[in-house]
Amino acid sequence: MTNSTPPFDLGAACTHLSARDEKLAELIQSTAQFQLDEILAESPYAALLEAITHQSISGKAAATIFARVKALSSTGAIPTPQEMLKLKKPALRKAGLSGAKILAMKDLAQKTIDGIVPTLEQAEKMSDEELVERLVSVRGIGAWTVEMFLIFRLGRPDVLPIHDLGVKKGWSVTYGKKHMPTPKQLLAFGERWRPYRTVASWYMWRAFGRAGAKITNKIRPAKTRRRKPNKPPGKHNRPARKRTAR
């Protein structure tokens, strides 16, 4: 199913965010209206199988490899979990998958059969937190990949990808900061955006894209507190000796 209309009240979301955050209100007014290019209601298995293919390579190369993987199935569609477990490593390597990706795909298939990875119907009834917990148990799948699934596959309204570079740099642009926030800082700041953190994140991406590389490349990494090294005992910080009576 393809649908660019989010499954939540966008007007209510923008009104809420604008009332809670003046800078975000300005951004909402000055940029394009929120939309997800396409919400593909795919099963977690199908979405994550494709996501594993895309890891660390270009989209064009990943699409070519994924087409070869699908060609290995009996139907020419995405291999079922059962088929994936039966596919031999040499055939998958020939399709263009690395050893790590093959192990990840087979783990995904096994966890789908075992019921750890839910069906689409089950996923739609589960909370974001429960889905993240279930899906990151799959080898090679991190929180960011699951968050993108929640946003772009399920259209969940309250997802904040705190490790996403575009969101962090977009935040720095929007709020006039020279440094990116730490994930912990962004998570705390994003509390004001609940329950529409997906929409706020989307506008951070827009701010990042609109600013351009000339500006965003100047944004520095997050500040981290440096621990002061313990000073060795010296002339002025040596513990005082107790005087003993003679």
Side-chain angles (χ1 to χ4, degrees), residues 9 12 16-17 37 43 67-68 98 108-109 111 130 132 152-153 174 183 204 220 228 230 238:
D9 189 332
H16 171 83
L17 293 170
D37 292 336
S43 69
R68 292 178 190 152
S98 66
L108 171 65
K111 285 187 167 72
E130 189 176 1
V132 170
F152 295 104
R153 306 292 184 169
T174 302
M204 295 302 106
R220 300 168 191 166
K228 292 182 179 180
N230 294 324
R238 188 175 294 153

Side-chain angles (χ1 to χ4, degrees), residues 20 44 76 83 87 90 96 101 113 118 147 168 170 216:
R20 297 293 301 276
E83 284 180 319
L87 288 173
K101 289 183 180 182
I113 292 169
E147 288 161 352
K168 290 191 291 185
T216 57

Side-chain angles (χ1 to χ4, degrees), residues 97-132:
L97 294 171
S98 66
K101 289 183 180 182
I102 292 169
L103 290 174
M105 286 184 173
K106 288 189 177 290
D107 188 48
L108 171 65
Q110 186 61 60
K111 285 187 167 72
T112 300
I113 292 169
D114 293 342
I116 297 170
V117 175
T119 64
L120 177 60
E121 186 178 4
Q122 291 168 339
E124 288 176 338
K125 296 175 182 176
M126 294 167 67
S127 69
D128 294 351
E129 292 74 19
E130 189 176 1
L131 275 169
V132 170

Side-chain angles (χ1 to χ4, degrees), residues 49-140:
L49 195 71
E50 186 172 3
I52 290 168
T53 310
H54 280 74
Q55 290 174 349
S56 304
I57 58 175
S58 71
K60 186 176 180 181
T64 300
I65 293 169
F66 197 55
R68 292 178 190 152
V69 172
K70 289 193 288 185
L72 296 174
S73 73
S74 59
T75 61
I78 293 173
T80 65
Q82 291 78 7
E83 284 180 319
M84 179 52 65
L85 289 178
K86 290 178 182 179
L87 288 173
K88 301 297 183 183
K89 186 176 179 180
L92 292 168
R93 287 299 295 256
K94 191 175 180 181
L97 294 171
S98 66
K101 289 183 180 182
I102 292 169
L103 290 174
M105 286 184 173
K106 288 189 177 290
D107 188 48
L108 171 65
Q110 186 61 60
K111 285 187 167 72
T112 300
I113 292 169
D114 293 342
I116 297 170
V117 175
T119 64
L120 177 60
E121 186 178 4
Q122 291 168 339
E124 288 176 338
K125 296 175 182 176
M126 294 167 67
S127 69
D128 294 351
E129 292 74 19
E130 189 176 1
L131 275 169
V132 170
E133 184 179 353
R134 292 271 201 105
L135 300 181
V136 297
S137 72
V138 176
R139 184 186 184 113

Side-chain angles (χ1 to χ4, degrees), residues 149-197:
F149 169 71
L150 293 172
I151 292 172
F152 295 104
R153 306 292 184 169
L154 295 182
R156 293 290 176 91
D158 195 34
V159 181
L160 177 57
I162 57 174
H163 298 282
D164 187 275
L165 185 67
V167 172
K168 290 191 291 185
K169 286 199 171 187
W171 182 90
S172 300
V173 170
T174 302
Y175 301 95
K177 305 295 184 181
K178 294 180 180 179
H179 293 80
M180 287 187 284
T182 64
K184 187 176 180 180
Q185 289 168 339
L186 185 57
L187 185 65
F189 187 92
E191 284 299 309
R192 72 189 64 188
W193 298 335
R194 284 184 183 271
Y196 299 110
R197 292 180 297 171

Side-chain angles (χ1 to χ4, degrees), residues 2-15:
T2 303
N3 184 7
S4 59
T5 304
F8 53 86
D9 189 332
L10 180 57
C14 290
T15 298

Side-chain angles (χ1 to χ4, degrees), residues 223-242:
K223 288 182 178 179
T224 54
R225 291 183 178 179
R226 293 181 180 177
R227 286 186 176 183
K228 292 182 179 180
N230 294 324
K231 292 183 178 180
K235 182 179 179 181
H236 300 292
N237 58 2
R238 188 175 294 153
R241 294 180 181 177
K242 289 184 179 179

